[in-house]
Amino acid sequence: MCNREKITALIITYNEIGYIEKCLESVSFVDEIIVVDSFSTDGTYEYLLKHHKVKVIQNPFENFTAQKSFALKQATHDWVLFLDADEIVPTPLKNEILETVSKQTEIVAYWFFRQFMFQNEKLRFSGWQTDKNYRLFRKSKAKFSDRRIVHETLDVEGTSGILNEKLTHYCYKNYEDYKSKMLNYGRLKAIECFYRERKFNYAAMYLKTGWKFFNHYVLRLGFLDGKKGYVICYLNALGVLERFRELKRLEQKNELAYYLVMP
């Protein structure tokens, strides 16, 4: 372990007090921790300033891809562990990460499976049981794709692997917080669709919203998660509905601007 390559942990934040503390504690084993904060107003930034192991940088939030790309440029070390502020690295995963970066391997990026938490209870189904994301990768071999501004993807130059242990993700704090998050994701996704010239359609709006709920609640067994499964599946579907609503608003705004500038 003493000969392993060094690791930089990267985290982006906005108003994450109450979650960022546990996240930072769980990555205390890395060699550098950098947090990029989007001008938090709840004390997150002030807390980070006082943290002895954290380098905190404030940067205006444009979208998730832009913010994560900015954060990636700040990393000193080639191995990067990229987390959300509401994610925690359990001890078994920590040990697997350290063992992984100590090995000579051609793998340059690793997928992590995640254990989703509804407050302090596990979500076992509800569409999340197969969720995985790149979380550990070489900075020199990866970059965030500019094709998406939400639910960002990583373009990797080389071989990928999957770690066995799961990352813990506290996705649901309370109803209003998760609802706000899903609505925000929906609006950002609408901007993506708008610039790709995808048109608003009532039939698609109702079909895709209904399918999202049916797929996660019935086919992906969300009903087995009880009330919390229903809440999660409903709010995820609401995010899809908001995407179409926002796309319609953007099209109407664009049409109005067009007519206003016509001679």
Side-chain angles (χ1 to χ4, degrees):
M1 293 288 183
C2 60
N3 295 322
R4 69 168 176 83
E5 293 185 58
K6 291 186 176 181
I7 307 169
T8 294
L10 296 175
I11 306 162
I12 64 171
T13 60
Y14 177 70
N15 289 351
E16 291 288 355
I17 204 72
Y19 280 84
I20 188 64
E21 300 92 331
K22 291 181 180 178
C23 177
L24 293 175
E25 183 181 347
S26 78
V27 297
S28 61
F29 63 92
V30 304
D31 306 282
E32 177 183 53
I33 303 174
I34 298 175
V35 181
V36 176
D37 180 69
S38 305
F39 295 90
S40 290
T41 58
D42 69 341
T44 296
Y45 179 64
E46 290 74 14
Y47 169 79
L48 293 170
L49 281 175
K50 295 175 183 177
H51 199 291
H52 69 283
K53 199 174 179 181
V54 172
K55 177 183 178 182
V56 57
I57 304 166
Q58 287 195 302
N59 190 59
F61 183 87
E62 180 183 349
N63 59 62
F64 287 101
T65 296
Q67 196 75 333
K68 288 193 173 184
S69 295
F70 174 84
L72 187 56
K73 291 176 183 176
Q74 314 308 313
T76 303
H77 308 304
D78 196 33
W79 275 115
V80 167
L81 175 63
F82 217 125
L83 300 181
D84 292 338
D86 54 3
E87 293 177 334
I88 291 175
V89 177
T91 299
L93 178 57
K94 163 195 160 183
N95 294 336
E96 189 175 11
I97 291 169
L98 290 173
E99 182 181 346
T100 297
V101 299
S102 299
K103 297 185 297 188
Q104 294 293 325
T105 176
E106 294 182 358
I107 298 175
V108 299
Y110 289 89
W111 296 93
F112 285 18
F113 283 104
R114 296 192 289 178
Q115 172 61 64
F116 282 76
M117 303 294 290
F118 185 100
Q119 294 174 323
N120 292 316
E121 297 180 6
K122 288 183 179 180
L123 271 172
R124 300 184 184 278
F125 304 100
S126 302
W128 300 125
Q129 55 267 50
T130 56
D131 173 88
K132 67 181 189 298
N133 296 90
Y134 281 119
R135 284 292 185 260
L136 179 69
F137 53 88
R138 287 193 179 276
K139 175 184 176 180
S140 59
K141 298 293 183 180
K143 64 178 182 177
F144 288 100
S145 170
D146 58 8
R147 297 186 301 273
R148 302 176 74 174
I149 62 174
V150 65
H151 297 137
E152 59 287 342
T153 57
L154 199 68
D155 288 335
V156 175
E157 181 186 334
T159 306
S160 298
I162 302 177
L163 295 192
N164 295 315
E165 299 295 338
K166 289 185 177 182
L167 188 68
T168 303
H169 183 203
Y170 286 87
C171 64
Y172 186 98
K173 300 175 186 177
N174 56 60
Y175 184 86
E176 288 304 322
D177 176 80
Y178 195 82
K179 179 181 178 182
S180 175
K181 184 187 295 186
M182 290 302 101
L183 292 175
N184 187 45
Y185 284 164
R187 292 174 195 131
L188 288 171
K189 196 70 180 174
I191 295 171
E192 232 178 64
C193 293
F194 181 74
Y195 284 112
R196 291 183 183 180
E197 298 185 350
R198 295 180 182 172
K199 301 299 182 183
F200 171 81
N201 181 284
Y202 277 107
M205 180 176 73
Y206 292 119
L207 286 171
K208 291 193 175 184
T209 300
W211 169 251
K212 183 73 170 184
F213 181 82
F214 180 77
N215 182 42
H216 280 219
Y217 190 67
V218 179
L219 299 184
R220 304 301 303 280
L221 306 177
F223 64 91
L224 294 178
D225 281 321
K227 182 180 178 180
K228 57 184 181 288
Y230 177 84
V231 171
I232 288 289
C233 294
Y234 166 76
L235 291 177
N236 286 346
L238 184 65
V240 176
L241 181 64
E242 182 64 15
R243 182 208 316 173
F244 284 95
R245 288 172 173 169
E246 182 66 16
L247 181 57
K248 184 180 180 182
R249 287 192 287 264
L250 289 170
E251 288 182 358
Q252 291 173 336
K253 185 177 179 181
N254 189 55
E255 288 173 7
L256 178 60
Y258 174 77
Y259 286 118
L260 288 175
V261 298
M262 283 185 68

PDB file of all heavy atoms in Angstrom, residues 18 47 51 86 90 126 128 130 160 167 177 197 201 206 221 224 238:
ATOM      1  N   GLY A  18     -24.475  19.218   6.363  1.00  0.00           N
ATOM      2  CA  GLY A  18     -25.219  18.082   6.898  1.00  0.00           C
ATOM      3  C   GLY A  18     -24.921  16.802   6.150  1.00  0.00           C
ATOM      4  O   GLY A  18     -25.193  15.711   6.662  1.00  0.00           O
ATOM      5  N   TYR A  47     -17.716  26.171   6.270  1.00  0.00           N
ATOM      6  CA  TYR A  47     -17.253  24.927   6.882  1.00  0.00           C
ATOM      7  C   TYR A  47     -16.021  24.392   6.151  1.00  0.00           C
ATOM      8  O   TYR A  47     -15.044  23.964   6.771  1.00  0.00           O
ATOM      9  CB  TYR A  47     -18.374  23.884   6.850  1.00  0.00           C
ATOM     10  CG  TYR A  47     -17.921  22.491   7.227  1.00  0.00           C
ATOM     11  CD1 TYR A  47     -17.738  22.139   8.563  1.00  0.00           C
ATOM     12  CD2 TYR A  47     -17.642  21.539   6.247  1.00  0.00           C
ATOM     13  CE1 TYR A  47     -17.297  20.870   8.917  1.00  0.00           C
ATOM     14  CE2 TYR A  47     -17.206  20.274   6.581  1.00  0.00           C
ATOM     15  CZ  TYR A  47     -17.036  19.946   7.917  1.00  0.00           C
ATOM     16  OH  TYR A  47     -16.580  18.692   8.257  1.00  0.00           O
ATOM     17  N   HIS A  51     -11.823  23.477   7.138  1.00  0.00           N
ATOM     18  CA  HIS A  51     -11.396  22.072   7.131  1.00  0.00           C
ATOM     19  C   HIS A  51      -9.917  21.991   6.767  1.00  0.00           C
ATOM     20  O   HIS A  51      -9.492  22.455   5.709  1.00  0.00           O
ATOM     21  CB  HIS A  51     -12.224  21.272   6.129  1.00  0.00           C
ATOM     22  CG  HIS A  51     -12.186  19.799   6.366  1.00  0.00           C
ATOM     23  ND1 HIS A  51     -11.056  19.042   6.154  1.00  0.00           N
ATOM     24  CD2 HIS A  51     -13.140  18.935   6.810  1.00  0.00           C
ATOM     25  CE1 HIS A  51     -11.311  17.778   6.430  1.00  0.00           C
ATOM     26  NE2 HIS A  51     -12.561  17.688   6.846  1.00  0.00           N
ATOM     27  N   ASP A  86     -23.261  14.011  -1.340  1.00  0.00           N
ATOM     28  CA  ASP A  86     -24.116  13.138  -0.538  1.00  0.00           C
ATOM     29  C   ASP A  86     -23.761  11.666  -0.714  1.00  0.00           C
ATOM     30  O   ASP A  86     -24.570  10.787  -0.447  1.00  0.00           O
ATOM     31  CB  ASP A  86     -25.591  13.370  -0.879  1.00  0.00           C
ATOM     32  CG  ASP A  86     -25.891  13.226  -2.363  1.00  0.00           C
ATOM     33  OD1 ASP A  86     -24.980  12.883  -3.135  1.00  0.00           O
ATOM     34  OD2 ASP A  86     -27.053  13.464  -2.758  1.00  0.00           O
ATOM     35  N   PRO A  90     -17.750   3.625   2.053  1.00  0.00           N
ATOM     36  CA  PRO A  90     -17.659   2.730   3.212  1.00  0.00           C
ATOM     37  C   PRO A  90     -16.261   2.110   3.297  1.00  0.00           C
ATOM     38  O   PRO A  90     -15.519   2.079   2.304  1.00  0.00           O
ATOM     39  CB  PRO A  90     -18.712   1.653   2.913  1.00  0.00           C
ATOM     40  CG  PRO A  90     -19.563   2.221   1.822  1.00  0.00           C
ATOM     41  CD  PRO A  90     -18.677   3.135   1.034  1.00  0.00           C
ATOM     42  N   SER A 126     -36.745   0.050  -7.099  1.00  0.00           N
ATOM     43  CA  SER A 126     -37.145   1.365  -7.619  1.00  0.00           C
ATOM     44  C   SER A 126     -36.294   1.848  -8.791  1.00  0.00           C
ATOM     45  O   SER A 126     -36.138   3.051  -9.008  1.00  0.00           O
ATOM     46  CB  SER A 126     -37.130   2.411  -6.492  1.00  0.00           C
ATOM     47  OG  SER A 126     -37.995   2.025  -5.440  1.00  0.00           O
ATOM     48  N   TRP A 128     -33.054   1.530  -9.194  1.00  0.00           N
ATOM     49  CA  TRP A 128     -31.680   1.895  -8.873  1.00  0.00           C
ATOM     50  C   TRP A 128     -30.768   0.688  -8.658  1.00  0.00           C
ATOM     51  O   TRP A 128     -29.575   0.860  -8.430  1.00  0.00           O
ATOM     52  CB  TRP A 128     -31.648   2.763  -7.613  1.00  0.00           C
ATOM     53  CG  TRP A 128     -32.411   4.041  -7.728  1.00  0.00           C
ATOM     54  CD1 TRP A 128     -33.406   4.473  -6.907  1.00  0.00           C
ATOM     55  CD2 TRP A 128     -32.249   5.070  -8.710  1.00  0.00           C
ATOM     56  NE1 TRP A 128     -33.878   5.688  -7.316  1.00  0.00           N
ATOM     57  CE2 TRP A 128     -33.190   6.078  -8.418  1.00  0.00           C
ATOM     58  CE3 TRP A 128     -31.407   5.232  -9.809  1.00  0.00           C
ATOM     59  CZ2 TRP A 128     -33.302   7.238  -9.188  1.00  0.00           C
ATOM     60  CZ3 TRP A 128     -31.524   6.371 -10.584  1.00  0.00           C
ATOM     61  CH2 TRP A 128     -32.459   7.363 -10.262  1.00  0.00           C
ATOM     62  N   THR A 130     -29.386  -1.492 -10.475  1.00  0.00           N
ATOM     63  CA  THR A 130     -28.277  -1.727 -11.411  1.00  0.00           C
ATOM     64  C   THR A 130     -27.514  -0.443 -11.729  1.00  0.00           C
ATOM     65  O   THR A 130     -26.688  -0.424 -12.637  1.00  0.00           O
ATOM     66  CB  THR A 130     -28.799  -2.339 -12.726  1.00  0.00           C
ATOM     67  OG1 THR A 130     -29.811  -1.477 -13.276  1.00  0.00           O
ATOM     68  CG2 THR A 130     -29.402  -3.718 -12.483  1.00  0.00           C
ATOM     69  N   SER A 160     -11.888  -0.116 -19.072  1.00  0.00           N
ATOM     70  CA  SER A 160     -12.632   0.160 -17.837  1.00  0.00           C
ATOM     71  C   SER A 160     -12.827  -1.117 -17.026  1.00  0.00           C
ATOM     72  O   SER A 160     -12.832  -2.231 -17.578  1.00  0.00           O
ATOM     73  CB  SER A 160     -14.009   0.753 -18.162  1.00  0.00           C
ATOM     74  OG  SER A 160     -13.890   1.977 -18.838  1.00  0.00           O
ATOM     75  N   LEU A 167     -20.687   2.123  -3.367  1.00  0.00           N
ATOM     76  CA  LEU A 167     -20.687   3.471  -2.819  1.00  0.00           C
ATOM     77  C   LEU A 167     -22.066   3.735  -2.210  1.00  0.00           C
ATOM     78  O   LEU A 167     -23.079   3.338  -2.775  1.00  0.00           O
ATOM     79  CB  LEU A 167     -20.413   4.454  -3.952  1.00  0.00           C
ATOM     80  CG  LEU A 167     -20.180   5.924  -3.643  1.00  0.00           C
ATOM     81  CD1 LEU A 167     -18.865   6.111  -2.895  1.00  0.00           C
ATOM     82  CD2 LEU A 167     -20.144   6.722  -4.950  1.00  0.00           C
ATOM     83  N   ASP A 177     -36.729  18.540  -0.970  1.00  0.00           N
ATOM     84  CA  ASP A 177     -35.375  18.558  -1.530  1.00  0.00           C
ATOM     85  C   ASP A 177     -35.281  17.675  -2.767  1.00  0.00           C
ATOM     86  O   ASP A 177     -34.737  18.090  -3.789  1.00  0.00           O
ATOM     87  CB  ASP A 177     -34.362  18.092  -0.475  1.00  0.00           C
ATOM     88  CG  ASP A 177     -32.953  18.004  -1.031  1.00  0.00           C
ATOM     89  OD1 ASP A 177     -32.304  19.054  -1.135  1.00  0.00           O
ATOM     90  OD2 ASP A 177     -32.510  16.890  -1.376  1.00  0.00           O
ATOM     91  N   GLU A 197     -32.461  20.346 -30.927  1.00  0.00           N
ATOM     92  CA  GLU A 197     -33.608  20.569 -31.806  1.00  0.00           C
ATOM     93  C   GLU A 197     -34.648  19.451 -31.720  1.00  0.00           C
ATOM     94  O   GLU A 197     -35.282  19.091 -32.713  1.00  0.00           O
ATOM     95  CB  GLU A 197     -33.137  20.758 -33.258  1.00  0.00           C
ATOM     96  CG  GLU A 197     -32.228  21.977 -33.422  1.00  0.00           C
ATOM     97  CD  GLU A 197     -31.863  22.245 -34.868  1.00  0.00           C
ATOM     98  OE1 GLU A 197     -32.152  21.389 -35.731  1.00  0.00           O
ATOM     99  OE2 GLU A 197     -31.281  23.315 -35.129  1.00  0.00           O
ATOM    100  N   ASN A 201     -43.803  17.480 -27.742  1.00  0.00           N
ATOM    101  CA  ASN A 201     -44.899  16.673 -28.264  1.00  0.00           C
ATOM    102  C   ASN A 201     -45.742  16.193 -27.095  1.00  0.00           C
ATOM    103  O   ASN A 201     -45.223  15.574 -26.153  1.00  0.00           O
ATOM    104  CB  ASN A 201     -44.327  15.487 -29.048  1.00  0.00           C
ATOM    105  CG  ASN A 201     -45.386  14.604 -29.642  1.00  0.00           C
ATOM    106  OD1 ASN A 201     -46.014  13.819 -28.933  1.00  0.00           O
ATOM    107  ND2 ASN A 201     -45.589  14.708 -30.955  1.00  0.00           N
ATOM    108  N   TYR A 206     -46.845  12.562 -22.241  1.00  0.00           N
ATOM    109  CA  TYR A 206     -47.653  11.673 -21.400  1.00  0.00           C
ATOM    110  C   TYR A 206     -47.138  10.234 -21.420  1.00  0.00           C
ATOM    111  O   TYR A 206     -47.109   9.557 -20.388  1.00  0.00           O
ATOM    112  CB  TYR A 206     -49.112  11.737 -21.845  1.00  0.00           C
ATOM    113  CG  TYR A 206     -49.762  13.069 -21.559  1.00  0.00           C
ATOM    114  CD1 TYR A 206     -50.272  13.862 -22.591  1.00  0.00           C
ATOM    115  CD2 TYR A 206     -49.831  13.564 -20.257  1.00  0.00           C
ATOM    116  CE1 TYR A 206     -50.847  15.097 -22.326  1.00  0.00           C
ATOM    117  CE2 TYR A 206     -50.412  14.791 -19.986  1.00  0.00           C
ATOM    118  CZ  TYR A 206     -50.916  15.556 -21.021  1.00  0.00           C
ATOM    119  OH  TYR A 206     -51.472  16.779 -20.749  1.00  0.00           O
ATOM    120  N   LEU A 221     -39.563  -3.079  -9.869  1.00  0.00           N
ATOM    121  CA  LEU A 221     -39.951  -3.559  -8.527  1.00  0.00           C
ATOM    122  C   LEU A 221     -39.941  -2.479  -7.445  1.00  0.00           C
ATOM    123  O   LEU A 221     -39.733  -2.779  -6.266  1.00  0.00           O
ATOM    124  CB  LEU A 221     -39.049  -4.726  -8.099  1.00  0.00           C
ATOM    125  CG  LEU A 221     -38.970  -5.898  -9.083  1.00  0.00           C
ATOM    126  CD1 LEU A 221     -38.000  -6.946  -8.568  1.00  0.00           C
ATOM    127  CD2 LEU A 221     -40.347  -6.498  -9.319  1.00  0.00           C
ATOM    128  N   LEU A 224     -41.815  -2.960  -4.129  1.00  0.00           N
ATOM    129  CA  LEU A 224     -41.234  -3.739  -3.036  1.00  0.00           C
ATOM    130  C   LEU A 224     -40.507  -2.852  -2.022  1.00  0.00           C
ATOM    131  O   LEU A 224     -40.192  -3.300  -0.926  1.00  0.00           O
ATOM    132  CB  LEU A 224     -40.278  -4.802  -3.582  1.00  0.00           C
ATOM    133  CG  LEU A 224     -40.909  -5.915  -4.422  1.00  0.00           C
ATOM    134  CD1 LEU A 224     -39.845  -6.868  -4.940  1.00  0.00           C
ATOM    135  CD2 LEU A 224     -41.948  -6.682  -3.602  1.00  0.00           C
ATOM    136  N   LEU A 238     -42.010  12.759 -12.271  1.00  0.00           N
ATOM    137  CA  LEU A 238     -42.272  14.198 -12.287  1.00  0.00           C
ATOM    138  C   LEU A 238     -41.140  14.942 -12.988  1.00  0.00           C
ATOM    139  O   LEU A 238     -41.372  15.933 -13.693  1.00  0.00           O
ATOM    140  CB  LEU A 238     -42.441  14.718 -10.854  1.00  0.00           C
ATOM    141  CG  LEU A 238     -42.813  16.195 -10.704  1.00  0.00           C
ATOM    142  CD1 LEU A 238     -44.194  16.468 -11.296  1.00  0.00           C
ATOM    143  CD2 LEU A 238     -42.773  16.604  -9.232  1.00  0.00           C
TER     144      LEU A 238
END
